[in-house]
Amino acid sequence: MTKAILFKTLLVCSVQTGSIFFAQSASAQYTSEVGLGLGGLVYKGELSPGYQFKNNRPAITAFYRRDISAPITLRGAFTAGLLRADDGNVEGATNAVAPLPAYRQANMKGSLYEVSAVAEYNFFDYHYRKAKIHFTPYVFVGVAGFLSSTTTATNNAALPALNQKGTMVGLAVPAGFGFKYALSNRWNLGLEAGARKVFSDQLDHIDGKTQGQTDIVGNPHDKDWYFFNGISISYTFYKINCPPQYKSNPRLLQ
């Protein structure tokens, strides 16, 4: 008797859970968003070994997001911003400029343009208006292509090889996390922080192995990174697919 009651309870719970999941999936499957965002780009490499908030430079992004299930959304985006770094901002153990940056005395500035495609995993269905929760944290990962144009210069006359200027095209892997909040049926607010792993060491033109450089001024075994952190606003479009029985008999809709 006890086993029968337990089995019925589990069955009812499973059906209810499945109903909620599919109801939310149906709600999310036919929504899409377009949005704009403002934030900052941060470079990490030889001239900035760690993430330095003071290196934030303005950036903008435009994106299109499409729900393919309750938890999964796909997003395509275009991002543009400025890059900046300076050896004088790298502090050592004594709060003074670290020895290598003090010797190198280099700085870098420029711009970067990125096109990306990522998959987002949402922990809640924030578009489901019947629920009490209208927000969700999310994580994302994808692939990106970028075009950077940067100039590196040094105040150390003994290191002329560090004076470089150029443009490069490369690939990066974007990954990070964020937070979405549905302000209304149509408008959404977003916060995001993400890193881009670059498959090159030439964002700053310093790699310690080419163009007359040595490992005294650069690390030939490390790659560059850049980060985007920002806030966005987006507008939601809803698409309701009509079931086949209603398409064949429009009177059922009356």
Side-chain angles (χ1 to χ4, degrees):
M1 184 67 179
T2 303
K3 291 183 178 180
I5 294 174
L6 179 60
F7 175 79
K8 291 180 180 179
T9 302
L10 291 174
L11 181 61
V12 171
C13 291
S14 299
V15 171
Q16 291 178 342
T17 301
S19 299
I20 293 173
F21 176 80
F22 287 113
Q24 292 181 346
S25 296
S27 172
Q29 189 174 0
Y30 306 114
T31 65
S32 58
E33 299 174 32
V34 292
L36 295 172
L38 294 174
L41 283 182
V42 180
Y43 145 90
K44 176 181 174 295
E46 270 81 4
L47 301 181
S48 179
Y51 180 94
Q52 292 183 310
F53 186 78
K54 65 179 67 176
N55 285 338
N56 260 282
R57 285 299 177 268
I60 59 173
T61 186
F63 60 88
Y64 173 79
R65 178 182 283 135
R66 172 74 176 181
D67 295 321
I68 61 172
S69 70
I72 305 296
T73 56
L74 301 180
R75 184 183 73 196
F78 172 76
T79 303
L82 303 177
L83 294 175
R84 185 257 191 188
D86 195 313
D87 270 336
N89 294 330
V90 182
E91 295 184 355
T94 61
N95 294 328
V97 179
L100 175 55
Y103 167 71
R104 197 167 45 201
Q105 300 178 45
N107 64 83
M108 181 268 291
K109 60 182 179 180
S111 58
L112 183 141
Y113 305 91
E114 176 196 84
V115 176
S116 63
V118 304
E120 304 171 339
Y121 182 86
N122 304 287
F123 291 91
F124 306 116
D125 186 357
Y126 67 108
H127 282 309
Y128 190 57
R129 300 308 298 179
K130 293 183 179 180
K132 294 182 179 180
I133 296 177
H134 301 307
F135 67 87
T136 183
Y138 68 96
V139 293
F140 68 89
V141 66
V143 63
F146 69 89
L147 168 68
S148 67
S149 178
T150 56
T151 300
T152 299
T154 178
N155 293 324
N156 188 337
L159 300 173
L162 297 187
N163 292 307
Q164 302 287 342
K165 179 179 181 180
T167 299
M168 70 165 293
V169 176
L171 293 175
V173 175
F177 60 92
F179 179 87
K180 304 172 187 175
Y181 178 72
L183 298 170
S184 67
N185 286 335
R186 295 289 183 178
W187 293 100
N188 313 287
L189 183 68
L191 296 172
E192 183 172 292
R196 273 68 168 169
K197 169 65 175 177
V198 179
F199 296 98
S200 172
D201 198 15
Q202 287 295 321
L203 277 181
D204 51 18
H205 308 293
I206 300 177
D207 60 7
K209 63 180 180 181
T210 62
Q211 298 175 332
Q213 300 176 22
T214 68
D215 57 7
I216 296 178
V217 296
N219 184 353
H221 307 292
D222 198 10
K223 304 297 183 183
D224 293 331
W225 293 68
Y226 64 95
F227 302 79
F228 174 78
N229 314 298
I231 185 171
S232 66
I233 187 77
S234 62
Y235 184 84
T236 303
F237 296 90
Y238 293 89
K239 179 182 178 182
I240 300 175
N241 281 3
C242 188
Q245 63 269 28
Y246 290 102
K247 290 182 178 180
S248 60
N249 190 357
R251 293 182 179 179
L252 294 176
L253 295 174
Q254 298 178 355

